[in-house]
Amino acid sequence: MTAIHAPELVSRELLELTRSLGRPERDLVILAEGNTSELLDDGRVVVKASGSNMATATTQDFVTVDIEPFVDLLGRENSTQDELTAALDAGMVDGHRRRGSIEALVHIAVQAVSPVRFVGHTHPTAILGLMASVRAQEAYDYWVYSDEAVVIGRPLYVPYASPGVGLGRVFHRSLLGYVDRYGQLPQLVLLGNHGIVALSPSAAGVDGISAMAVKGAQVRATAYAVGGVSPIPTESVSEFFAREDISERRGNLANGQY
């Protein structure tokens, strides 16, 4: 079995992050949308179970999975959605089926490319509006204000693919291309017609990246509404990134030190 139900492996940080991202007033997810995960020291991943509500999640609402079987599934062109569903199944617990989220491959793909402790996937209305628009692919090509550049860095855009095996493969390939180009993982991934993925060594980092991404979407939507975006010049941001004080601040933010 590649998935088990082990509530004792769910950390306080993962549970608090999940509930924070699920708070209704933040408009990041509704109903059973969204998922979070944490990489354990032994290489396994704890990921939110399918059908559970983030805002009210408990330690019962997660499953723990081994990575290697899913990496193999990602690498095989003939792998199927049925295989993924079966691999994510942790069985019946107290009369309820416990199965890892259908988007678990997004979390596995991150760990397969370059391990990072926390991953959070949400569907913010403000960002989804942009990701469902004709400006989706270009919307985040440039930064619109300096703190956005500090907190989220260079986002990665991934075109729409059906959640499950299809999205997992496209997401994995896109991450590999980004790392090949920049030498590191993105902190924010934008999913066309879908939502966002935030990556950080800390739970607070995922929370902050998600919040800043929403603000960036709101700024863009306002700018488009009054004629268009006037971005920060790329060379200015490059100089900004090179500054020692900014590099230190970005490191602090990534570790949840605000």
Side-chain angles (χ1 to χ4, degrees):
M1 180 179 290
T2 57
I4 62 171
H5 183 251
E8 69 278 7
L9 297 178
V10 181
S11 71
R12 176 181 57 82
E13 292 89 349
L14 179 60
L15 190 57
E16 289 180 354
L17 170 64
T18 305
R19 290 174 175 173
S20 176
L21 295 178
R23 280 165 35 206
E25 67 271 21
R26 298 186 69 178
D27 195 24
L28 303 180
V29 295
I30 63 170
L31 303 176
E33 285 184 341
N35 34 80
T36 54
S37 70
E38 180 178 4
L39 177 66
L40 301 179
D41 291 340
D42 64 9
R44 291 181 294 173
V45 174
V46 180
V47 63
K48 188 184 81 79
S50 179
S52 57
N53 189 302
M54 292 178 71
T56 58
T58 72
T59 56
Q60 299 295 319
D61 295 315
F62 294 83
V63 300
T64 299
V65 300
D66 294 316
I67 292 179
E68 286 307 315
F70 295 96
V71 174
D72 174 69
L73 192 150
L74 274 172
R76 286 190 290 108
E77 289 300 323
N78 64 344
S79 57
T80 67
Q81 188 62 41
D82 286 342
E83 283 184 80
L84 175 61
T85 299
L88 290 170
D89 191 354
M92 297 293 290
V93 179
D94 296 330
H96 297 283
R97 174 71 61 186
R98 296 297 181 184
R99 181 183 291 120
S101 167
I102 190 176
E103 291 160 336
L105 276 187
V106 166
H107 300 260
I108 298 296
V110 172
Q111 309 306 340
V113 173
S114 183
V116 64
R117 187 174 174 193
F118 289 97
V119 178
H121 168 50
T122 56
H123 306 160
T125 300
I127 296 176
L128 189 52
L130 286 179
M131 292 300 100
S133 77
V134 295
R135 297 188 182 275
Q137 189 164 355
E138 68 181 54
Y140 283 78
D141 279 352
Y142 301 95
W143 294 275
V144 295
Y145 62 106
S146 58
D147 270 7
E148 176 188 52
V150 172
V151 175
I152 69 174
R154 298 178 179 89
L156 166 65
Y157 174 79
V158 177
Y160 180 81
S162 181
V165 173
L167 175 59
R169 289 198 187 107
V170 172
F171 189 85
H172 185 227
R173 288 195 297 267
S174 298
L175 282 182
L176 287 171
Y178 186 100
V179 172
D180 184 59
R181 181 175 182 181
Y182 296 113
Q184 61 184 14
L185 286 171
Q187 291 173 255
L188 175 69
V189 182
L190 303 151
L191 304 176
N193 292 89
H194 191 147
I196 63 171
V197 181
L199 294 67
S200 177
S202 73
V206 168
D207 198 277
I209 290 164
S210 301
M212 186 62 79
V214 169
K215 181 173 182 177
Q218 293 168 336
V219 170
R220 284 168 172 79
T222 300
Y224 287 138
V226 294
V229 171
S230 177
I232 299 174
T234 302
E235 59 274 13
S236 176
V237 177
S238 297
E239 293 172 1
F240 197 57
F241 279 165
R243 283 170 42 182
E244 184 175 348
D245 61 326
I246 297 303
S247 178
E248 179 181 0
R249 186 179 175 208
R250 294 196 72 224
N252 289 339
L253 288 168
N255 286 294
Q257 301 173 26
Y258 299 108

